[in-house]
Amino acid sequence: MSLSIQTKCLHLNQSENDGDSPCSPCNHYGSVSFPIYQTATYAHPAPGESTGFDYSRLQNPTREHLEKLVCQLEGGIDCFALSSGMAAITLVLELFSPGDHIIADSDLYGGSIRLFDNVSSKNGIKFTRVNCATTNLETLITPATKAIYIETPTNPMMNITDIREVSRLAKKYGLILIVDNTFMSPYLQNPLELGADIVIHSGTKYLAGHNDTLAGFIITNKEAIREKLRFLIKTTGAGLAPFDCWLTLRGIKTLAIRMEAAQKNAALIAEWLQKQKCVTKVIYPGLKDHPGHEIQKKQARGFGAMVTFNVESEGKAKEILKKVRLIQFAESLGGVESLITYPVTQTHADVPEEIREANGITRATLRLSVGIENAEDLIKDLEEALNG
């Protein structure tokens, strides 16, 4: 039975649940909410026989169910649930060896840049960082190049990279295309269908959706990558714990309606911000003057709920952060509550200032994760903070 993406947020395709596996719908005593298997180890019926599970570092029924669900949403062949988004990125980097070269977008989440600069580089992996939305990447490929790593939209400057075009280039040279899809969620964008080899999510954000748990995901559609990652997650031990798996499963049930509501709010707020005298720039892919607007329309089912904007001065930015009440000044995104972030001291604090400024991140830049509150209430809160 073919399911819509809205239904896939709640149910696995029947073929995924056929048979007598512990994840079959005929088990669990008819529980509608998938059970939390809070166990570290599993008893075996006899030598050479198994229930299908041995030790929860290797796999756990709750984690397996979550992985199958996210895999279904992204259209991959396997998914790996990890303890955080950074754990997911770290595991992906273990696919590479000293001397390997990766082309990475220059405007990435600050934690990714910190990992690349302080851990991956120490381990001998070399990076070239450029604006992947505007640079001729082919000129940067060397015999040592193994992968291209992008976010689209980027964090926080919302640059849009054409995934299909980068995929064509990656395939031409035998490179792995890695796409961090956190900002869009699988509800709005599916990079594997556009030619990517690996998709990463900070599941803490839109997938879990309630600012109450950490999670990370890797999804792939390549058998060789799948085998390596399954070995690595078993060996390094960063798999997501059962209770956090259950919280994320619960969050995904409402992914579709949350994304629709938040995206609608974001479009209204972006248009409103454009009319404010103290706002000097609004960056939202849904605005027709965004340089990536047409590409986004082709490769995604929407524009997301993240809005970045600049105000007239650093002092004005800090004043807004002090005055917001309904919108909370906090470092994260993708939850039901609206959050406003100051990238220079929060998400991108560890990024060197010259790199931040080259990317367009200034001390007057604010990043807004729009939640599902009433849009008029959010605009009223912003109006009081901006003009009060």
Side-chain angles (χ1 to χ4, degrees):
M1 178 181 179
S2 178
L3 302 179
S4 68
I5 191 163
Q6 292 88 348
T7 304
K8 285 179 179 178
C9 291
L10 289 91
H11 302 282
L12 283 171
N13 268 317
Q14 191 61 40
S15 59
E16 294 282 352
N17 271 334
D18 287 343
D20 297 323
S21 86
C23 293
S24 170
C26 63
N27 292 320
H28 316 300
Y29 303 96
S31 174
V32 173
S33 174
F34 197 91
I36 304 168
Y37 281 85
Q38 193 63 50
T39 182
T41 192
Y42 308 81
H44 300 294
E49 297 181 23
S50 173
T51 61
F53 297 90
D54 301 309
Y55 190 64
S56 279
R57 174 165 51 79
L58 311 182
Q59 190 53 291
N60 174 283
T62 315
R63 192 170 95 212
E64 181 183 75
H65 188 75
L66 173 61
E67 288 175 344
K68 285 184 175 182
L69 190 69
V70 175
C71 190
Q72 172 179 264
L73 289 173
E74 280 290 12
I77 62 170
D78 207 353
C79 172
F80 306 83
L82 293 108
S83 57
S84 68
M86 288 311 304
I89 298 169
T90 300
L91 196 75
V92 167
L93 268 292
E94 289 297 327
L95 293 170
F96 303 100
S97 302
D100 286 350
H101 172 241
I102 297 174
I103 299 169
D105 204 295
S106 56
D107 184 42
L108 298 175
Y109 167 56
S112 302
I113 295 172
R114 182 174 59 237
L115 174 71
F116 295 171
D117 286 353
N118 296 285
V119 179
S120 305
S121 294
K122 170 184 68 68
N123 293 338
I125 301 173
K126 303 179 190 301
F127 293 87
T128 298
R129 290 203 292 260
V130 294
N131 183 334
C132 290
T134 59
T135 303
N136 181 356
L137 301 182
E138 191 164 14
T139 63
L140 305 174
I141 296 171
T142 73
T145 307
K146 304 297 181 186
I148 301 172
Y149 186 106
I150 65 174
E151 294 175 353
T152 181
T154 59
N155 182 359
M157 300 310 291
M158 311 299 286
N159 299 325
I160 305 297
T161 298
D162 190 324
I163 299 173
R164 286 189 182 92
E165 284 300 314
V166 178
S167 168
R168 279 193 272 271
L169 180 65
K171 285 176 171 53
K172 179 179 177 180
Y173 288 92
L175 310 180
I176 297 172
L177 176 56
I178 305 162
V179 180
D180 185 327
N181 197 33
T182 298
F183 266 25
M184 295 307 292
S185 88
Y187 179 72
L188 292 178
Q189 183 171 270
N190 301 118
L192 295 180
E193 294 181 1
L194 302 169
D197 303 295
I198 295 173
V199 173
I200 294 173
H201 285 279
S202 173
T204 309
K205 312 305 193 295
Y206 287 109
L207 286 169
H210 291 78
N211 292 317
D212 58 8
T213 191
L214 301 179
F217 294 95
I218 306 166
I219 309 97
T220 185
N221 56 5
K222 297 292 184 292
E223 187 60 42
I225 294 173
R226 168 193 200 171
E227 290 178 8
K228 289 178 183 177
L229 288 174
R230 191 54 69 186
F231 174 81
L232 286 168
I233 194 172
K234 171 180 75 173
T235 304
T236 57
L240 190 61
F243 184 62
D244 297 295
C245 288
W246 182 83
L247 284 172
T248 309
L249 279 168
R250 185 184 63 171
I252 292 173
K253 287 176 185 286
T254 58
L255 176 64
I257 56 175
R258 285 189 288 105
M259 290 305 300
E260 290 288 355
Q263 179 175 243
K264 182 178 179 181
N265 283 350
L268 292 170
I269 288 170
E271 290 175 3
W272 179 85
L273 284 169
Q274 285 188 310
K275 301 171 186 174
Q276 306 312 302
K277 289 183 180 179
C278 68
V279 176
T280 60
K281 187 175 187 180
V282 180
I283 311 171
Y284 178 64
L287 296 172
K288 291 183 180 179
D289 63 356
H290 188 289
H293 179 77
E294 292 302 321
I295 294 173
Q296 186 70 3
K297 281 171 65 176
K298 284 191 245 180
Q299 69 185 18
R301 293 179 289 275
F303 301 102
M306 299 298 300
V307 180
T308 296
F309 63 101
N310 288 354
V311 291
E312 58 196 8
S313 66
E314 175 182 355
K316 188 65 174 179
K318 291 181 176 178
E319 179 186 330
I320 292 166
L321 295 172
K322 287 179 184 177
K323 287 186 173 181
V324 285
R325 292 291 178 265
L326 182 61
I327 300 168
Q328 298 174 78
F329 173 27
E331 182 173 351
S332 194
L333 63 101
V336 290
E337 301 92 354
S338 294
L339 304 178
I340 193 166
T341 299
Y342 194 42
V344 294
T345 63
Q346 293 182 302
T347 56
H348 291 69
D350 290 332
V351 178
E353 187 170 3
E354 63 272 17
I355 295 176
R356 287 202 309 262
E357 291 185 351
N359 289 342
I361 305 169
T362 74
R363 294 186 176 275
T365 301
L366 296 168
R367 191 193 74 184
L368 181 62
S369 172
V370 182
I372 66 169
E373 302 94 339
N374 178 278
E376 290 183 8
D377 292 338
L378 293 173
I379 288 172
K380 189 181 299 181
D381 189 38
L382 283 169
E383 185 173 23
E384 290 175 359
L386 268 66
N387 305 318

